[in-house]
Amino acid sequence: MAEVQDGYFDSSTDSLRVEPIYESFLCPLSKQVMRDPVTTESGATFEREAILKYFKECGSGGRRLVCPVTQKELSSTELNPSIALRNTIDEWMHRNETAKLEVARKSLTSECSEGDILQALEYVSEICQRSRSSRHVVRKVGLISMITDLLKNSSAKVRQKALESLRFVAKDDNDNKNEIAAGDNIRTIVKFLNYGHVQQKERAVSLLYELSEYKPLSEKIGSVSGAILILVGLSSSKVENQLTVDKAEKTLENLESCEKNVRQMAENGRLQPLLRLLLEGSSDTQLSMASHLGELVLSNDVKVLVAQTAGSTLVDIMKSGNREAREAALKALNQISSYDTSAKILIEAGILPPLITDLFTVGSNQLPMRLKEVSATILANIVASGASFESIPLDHNCQNLVSEEIVHNLLHLISNTGPAIECKLLQVLVGLTTSSTTVQSIVDAIKSSGATVSLIQFVEAPQREVRMASIKLLNNISPFMGQELADAFRGNFSQLSSLVRVIADNNGISEEQAAAAGLIADLPPQDSVLTRRLLQDGAFSIIITKVIMIRQGEIRGGRFVNPFLEGLVRVVSRITYILDDDPDIIAVAREYNLTTLFTDLLQMNGLDTVQIVSASALENLSHQSKLLTKIVPAPNPGLCFSIFPCLSQKSMATGACKVHVGICSAKESFCLLEGKAVEKLVACLDHNNEKVVEAALAALSTLLEDGVDIEQGVTVLCDAEGINPILDVLCENRSEALRQRAVWAVERILRIDEIAYEISGNQNVGTALVEAFRHGDSRTRQIAERALKHVDKLPNFSGIFSKMGAP
């Protein structure tokens, strides 16, 4: 097919001919065929728009008004329509359009060459841009389906030109749009958005925009799989050209007319249309949008956006809507409240008072249990945000979430509902007891309500989430209610056994296990009844095995491994608190070789609690050493010793412990010296945590207590290079408890004359002892006084007074 030049078709091989453009058809100014020809007073004819523009330019430029053709001065800007010329041009254009459309109809087939198809598409584009009636003709002669078939042509140029032509065909003609959208054509167009090159993508999205201008097609476009997702991606793209981005955005705006599309957009991260309908739509629309919002999986950032934009509206619906609307609002609020930041925004929107009302209301106005479960879930989410609930009033009586009456009501609900609500309300109490500012209020309310026994029963719940929430709650309150919990467990030992089974689980290390270990650890350690029950359940065997495996790296865990280990070690240490006069418990300590275990645990750097507990356990064990050491007869003194009895004072059996003056071992008599614990305890004296230092010093002090060879105890400390660290603890004066322990130990050390002489010149030690003498309690002052006498800082009057009192 030959080319059309300057608007006419010239071919020697085609029977169809297109009339040439006559000079009189062209505007002298625009050089284009005139559509609205007008004549000036000079007799020249122009396109109306072009001559008006010329007049305006002359006026704004201050030029003389002359005819652009004749150059004659014009006295008037009056224009007269050239109706005859316009009709002639219209008839000429109609004949030419008919001819071109006939050429296009014959050329728009896959059998024609690429060039012929492109020329035919160019004809269609030109014709459609002239008038709406021309676009009607294109549809009438059946060209639309021919062009849409070309969207699957093998030539990229043809596909691109077909997209462009269809956009002109669709312009302001809904019938054409319907025909373009027939079959799977929209799906084909959408494909270009994802797989086409830049220009194809741009033309495809421009065509979709034209189609979306016709509201009935909005749902059809949105129903194409992936269409809205792709458009959302294009509208927010940082790499596509701006025209593509703008057209994608405008297309989405058109598609928002269909609620189904709005829901799809929300699912793909474009929440604004849904939120707008939620805020501005009819009650039915609000219900629909709230319902869908409750079904979405939202990112945390989107939860914050929704809370900021629609939180107050959803709270209002929850307060005053009908049952169906309240259910939709609750489900949406459940989604939003699961992130701390958005939960706090909902608190500011006033969610707490109606939420508590929904939970506590009984009778004809109460919510069904399935919705109370949602309310309880939202409350658990809100509490987990960590807000200051003691400062948020719930009613005109200024009650808050931690007020005694409110907590009593929560406890009552927990005891009188099903597992689902029980679990969520237990989680509410877990959240409130996690905060140091509210835990005491909850503890007081639990005590005053007598709910301890009923709360403990949930540790045996068959539902894992209920059991875990219960254990976490009990763990949180156990530092404040250790004795009450111990009394309750004594009433039903099976609940204590349930905790042991949780700890014994071998599927990694869970939060539930860490809480169970912490809960048992907080029970009074001197309670021998509970300790014996734990022994009966085999708890210590299980726990010690886990401690060793964690210590050796055989059990690895995430964020719960450290609190789990700390709890386990504290539980094991219970054995060391009931050793006095109990051969059975001493046998258990020997069986598990606790001296060696706790000595090894002293080296768990970074786990202060483990080190504190281990040092305290070693102190308890070491107190027993002087009672458990095997005393053996001293060797036969012989003649020299009978002549010089003074020489027999230090004699001892070969291999005997220097401190305990008998046969000792780490396992049998819990001896620190034999257990190689002294050096490790000395190392702890340099710790940053004063509690670790205090526990280590207390354990070392057992080597200096009455009933052992104090001089040998000092020698052991010297050999372990422990004297100076103990003196440093005294001089640092980090706490009153440390000062008391250090003064006691230093006084014992100073009983050795050689050491007292050496230390007497240490001004820091002298000053520290003087400070203790001046400011300590009565017992510390007495001990400091004796220490000062050892270094000659105070005179020793005892000898003088005894002489003065002699007869």
Side-chain angles (χ1 to χ4, degrees):
M1 185 177 74
E3 296 287 335
V4 172
Q5 301 292 339
D6 297 326
Y8 67 91
F9 176 66
D10 185 13
S11 173
S12 59
T13 60
D14 200 312
S15 59
L16 287 173
R17 295 187 61 81
V18 179
E19 297 178 31
I21 298 177
Y22 299 96
E23 186 70 25
S24 60
F25 291 179
L26 298 176
C27 171
L29 291 174
S30 68
K31 307 304 181 184
Q32 300 293 320
V33 175
M34 292 181 286
R35 296 175 182 273
D36 185 11
V38 292
T39 303
T40 64
E41 66 178 24
S42 66
T45 302
F46 304 91
E47 176 67 41
R48 181 186 296 274
E49 183 179 343
I51 191 63
L52 288 176
K53 180 181 178 183
Y54 171 77
F55 288 163
K56 184 176 180 181
E57 289 173 350
C58 287
S60 61
R63 297 187 309 223
R64 188 167 59 92
L65 191 63
V66 297
C67 174
V69 175
T70 65
Q71 297 300 310
K72 291 181 180 179
E73 187 170 352
L74 298 174
S75 59
S76 171
T77 58
E78 184 178 351
L79 301 173
N80 296 311
S82 297
I83 297 175
L85 178 60
R86 185 174 66 189
N87 290 338
T88 300
I89 292 173
D90 286 345
E91 291 173 2
W92 171 85
M93 291 184 69
H94 178 71
R95 291 193 299 274
N96 279 1
E97 283 180 4
T98 300
K100 287 183 176 180
L101 288 175
E102 181 61 24
V103 172
R105 192 177 62 80
K106 292 183 176 182
S107 302
L108 293 177
T109 63
S110 57
E111 290 79 14
C112 292
S113 68
E114 180 184 276
D116 286 350
I117 295 174
L118 292 174
Q119 183 62 66
L121 291 171
E122 182 62 32
Y123 285 166
V124 174
S125 297
E126 290 176 1
I127 291 167
C128 288
Q129 290 179 74
R130 287 174 184 159
S131 67
R132 184 173 181 179
S133 61
S134 298
R135 294 192 285 276
H136 173 75
V137 173
V138 168
R139 183 181 76 255
K140 189 174 181 180
V141 298
L143 289 180
I144 292 179
S145 61
M146 298 177 73
I147 299 174
T148 56
D149 287 343
L150 293 175
L151 293 176
K152 299 177 181 179
N153 192 277
S154 59
S155 168
K157 290 182 179 179
V158 170
R159 296 194 300 270
Q160 182 175 314
K161 191 65 178 177
L163 288 167
E164 181 183 54
S165 301
L166 287 171
R167 178 166 62 88
F168 295 128
V169 171
K171 183 73 174 177
D172 298 328
D173 193 312
N174 293 336
D175 291 331
N176 285 7
K177 291 176 182 178
N178 270 331
E179 189 163 338
I180 292 171
D184 69 344
N185 289 337
I186 290 181
R187 181 172 175 272
T188 302
I189 297 167
V190 169
K191 281 186 178 180
F192 289 112
L193 299 182
N194 211 28
Y195 300 109
H197 59 67
V198 175
Q199 289 183 319
Q200 281 186 351
K201 196 176 294 186
E202 178 186 308
R203 284 162 174 72
V205 74
S206 296
L207 173 56
L208 270 185
Y209 167 68
E210 287 295 339
L211 296 177
S212 68
E213 288 276 83
Y214 183 40
K215 188 175 180 179
L217 289 182
S218 291
E219 184 173 350
K220 188 168 187 178
I221 294 172
S223 67
V224 174
S225 178
I228 286 179
L229 174 59
I230 295 169
L231 286 167
V232 169
L234 289 175
S235 70
S236 58
S237 174
K238 304 297 183 184
V239 296
E240 300 292 345
N241 67 53
Q242 195 57 45
L243 178 60
T244 299
V245 172
D246 292 343
K247 288 293 184 182
E249 176 63 30
K250 291 178 179 178
T251 303
L252 287 168
E253 291 172 1
N254 289 339
L255 297 184
E256 290 171 13
S257 61
C258 172
E259 282 191 17
K260 287 184 179 178
N261 293 342
V262 170
R263 289 195 289 269
Q264 271 201 71
M265 291 177 197
E267 291 167 6
N268 292 298
R270 186 181 174 93
L271 263 292
Q272 290 84 349
L274 183 148
L275 296 178
R276 185 170 61 253
L277 290 179
L278 179 60
L279 295 174
E280 303 171 2
S282 65
S283 57
D284 288 342
T285 299
Q286 283 187 321
L287 173 60
S288 174
M289 294 300 104
S291 297
H292 191 64
L293 189 59
E295 296 168 1
L296 294 176
V297 177
L298 306 177
S299 67
N300 289 338
D301 289 345
V302 173
K303 290 174 187 175
V304 173
L305 170 66
V306 175
Q308 291 171 333
T309 307
S312 296
T313 298
L314 290 169
V315 170
D316 289 341
I317 295 173
M318 182 188 78
K319 287 193 293 188
S320 57
N322 58 34
R323 178 67 58 80
E324 190 178 8
R326 291 172 73 189
E327 179 173 358
L330 281 169
K331 290 181 178 178
L333 289 166
N334 184 26
Q335 278 274 19
I336 306 166
S337 64
S338 58
Y339 179 53
D340 291 352
T341 304
S342 51
K344 289 176 180 176
I345 295 171
L346 293 178
I347 294 172
E348 294 175 3
I351 193 174
L352 274 176
L355 202 58
I356 294 298
T357 300
D358 282 348
L359 281 170
F360 293 167
T361 299
V362 295
S364 58
N365 294 324
Q366 73 174 338
L367 287 177
M369 281 301 172
R370 60 184 175 82
L371 293 187
K372 282 200 174 187
E373 179 184 343
V374 180
S375 296
T377 304
I378 296 171
L379 183 59
N381 291 340
I382 294 291
V383 169
S385 70
S388 300
F389 297 101
E390 64 274 19
S391 62
I392 303 172
L394 297 178
D395 53 29
H396 61 278
N397 294 325
C398 293
Q399 289 196 104
N400 56 56
L401 199 55
V402 296
S403 295
E404 185 176 58
E405 183 180 345
I406 299 298
V407 179
H408 283 178
N409 286 334
L410 289 173
L411 292 168
H412 178 75
L413 271 179
I414 290 172
S415 299
N416 292 278
T417 53
I421 298 180
E422 287 170 355
C423 179
K424 297 306 177 183
L425 295 182
L426 284 169
Q427 289 175 3
V428 169
L429 294 181
V430 169
L432 293 174
T433 53
T434 300
S435 168
S436 60
T437 60
T438 55
V439 61
Q440 190 61 57
S441 297
I442 306 302
V443 167
D444 292 342
I446 291 173
K447 288 180 178 179
S448 64
S449 68
T452 307
V453 173
S454 61
L455 289 176
I456 284 181
Q457 70 181 354
F458 290 113
V459 302
E460 295 184 290
Q463 300 84 11
R464 183 178 183 276
E465 288 192 354
V466 174
R467 185 180 71 239
M468 183 167 72
S470 169
I471 294 173
K472 288 170 64 178
L473 171 60
L474 295 171
N475 181 38
N476 287 352
I477 64 176
S478 59
F480 308 89
M481 297 182 60
Q483 189 58 57
E484 290 86 351
L485 293 173
D487 294 341
F489 279 122
R490 274 199 235 95
N492 189 341
F493 282 134
S494 66
Q495 292 157 356
L496 190 64
S497 301
S498 295
L499 294 177
V500 174
R501 286 194 293 274
V502 170
I503 292 172
D505 188 84
N506 288 321
N507 294 321
I509 297 175
S510 67
E511 184 178 14
E512 182 183 16
Q513 286 181 299
L519 170 55
I520 296 176
D522 279 332
L523 300 176
Q526 293 86 1
D527 191 322
S528 61
V529 175
L530 292 182
T531 301
R532 288 180 178 280
R533 178 65 193 192
L534 291 170
L535 277 170
Q536 184 178 331
D537 286 341
F540 292 107
S541 176
I542 294 168
I543 291 172
I544 290 171
T545 299
K546 285 187 176 290
V547 168
I548 293 172
M549 292 178 72
I550 293 173
R551 178 84 173 87
Q552 295 175 348
E554 296 177 29
I555 298 180
R556 298 187 181 275
R559 57 197 176 103
F560 302 116
V561 63
N562 287 349
F564 184 48
L565 178 60
E566 289 171 357
L568 295 180
V569 173
R570 291 171 63 203
V571 174
V572 176
S573 74
R574 293 180 63 90
I575 297 173
T576 70
Y577 285 88
I578 58 171
L579 293 169
D580 288 337
D581 301 323
D582 196 328
D584 292 339
I585 300 301
I586 288 175
V588 171
R590 287 170 172 166
E591 177 186 353
Y592 295 122
N593 197 5
L594 293 189
T595 304
T596 299
L597 175 66
F598 287 118
T599 299
D600 289 341
L601 290 171
L602 282 176
Q603 300 176 88
M604 297 292 288
N605 296 322
L607 294 178
D608 293 5
T609 299
V610 171
Q611 291 179 302
I612 293 168
V613 172
S614 297
S616 297
L618 288 171
E619 177 192 4
N620 295 339
L621 290 166
S622 184
H623 281 310
Q624 300 298 317
S625 297
K626 61 189 177 184
L627 305 174
L628 299 176
T629 185
K630 292 182 180 180
I631 304 298
V632 294
N636 190 337
L639 179 61
C640 290
F641 289 103
S642 63
I643 298 173
F644 304 102
C646 61
L647 296 178
S648 66
Q649 294 175 2
K650 295 295 182 182
S651 63
M652 86 176 53
T654 304
C657 172
K658 294 185 293 184
V659 177
H660 300 113
V661 196
I663 303 300
C664 281
S665 72
K667 184 174 182 179
E668 297 297 322
S669 63
F670 318 134
C671 179
L672 299 184
L673 182 58
E674 295 297 323
K676 311 299 182 187
V678 178
E679 291 81 1
K680 296 180 178 64
L681 288 166
V682 168
C684 290
L685 295 178
D686 192 37
H687 204 284
N688 291 327
N689 187 332
E690 64 187 40
K691 295 294 184 182
V692 175
V693 177
E694 183 181 345
L697 184 54
L700 289 171
S701 294
T702 60
L703 302 176
L704 306 174
E705 66 184 352
D706 295 336
V708 304
D709 190 324
I710 297 176
E711 183 175 348
Q712 289 299 321
V714 173
T715 301
V716 168
L717 291 176
C718 282
D719 293 342
E721 298 183 354
I723 301 299
N724 285 331
I726 292 174
L727 296 176
D728 290 341
V729 171
L730 172 67
C731 295
E732 288 170 5
N733 195 20
R734 294 161 69 176
S735 71
E736 183 59 30
L738 264 180
R739 177 162 67 180
Q740 290 175 1
R741 287 202 177 275
V743 168
W744 185 92
V746 168
E747 189 277 327
R748 295 278 167 140
I749 291 169
L750 293 178
R751 292 182 185 183
I752 309 304
D753 292 340
E754 294 86 348
I755 295 179
Y757 177 77
E758 184 176 342
I759 292 176
S760 63
N762 189 322
Q763 293 296 324
N764 292 330
V765 173
T767 300
L769 289 173
V770 168
E771 287 297 305
F773 177 66
R774 293 177 58 206
H775 302 295
D777 59 22
S778 59
R779 181 172 180 274
T780 301
R781 292 184 63 188
Q782 289 175 2
I783 298 171
E785 180 182 1
R786 291 200 300 268
L788 287 168
K789 290 176 180 178
H790 293 322
V791 292
D792 294 330
K793 298 293 184 182
L794 283 175
N796 191 341
F797 296 107
S798 58
I800 298 173
F801 286 131
S802 62
K803 289 180 181 178
M804 290 175 61

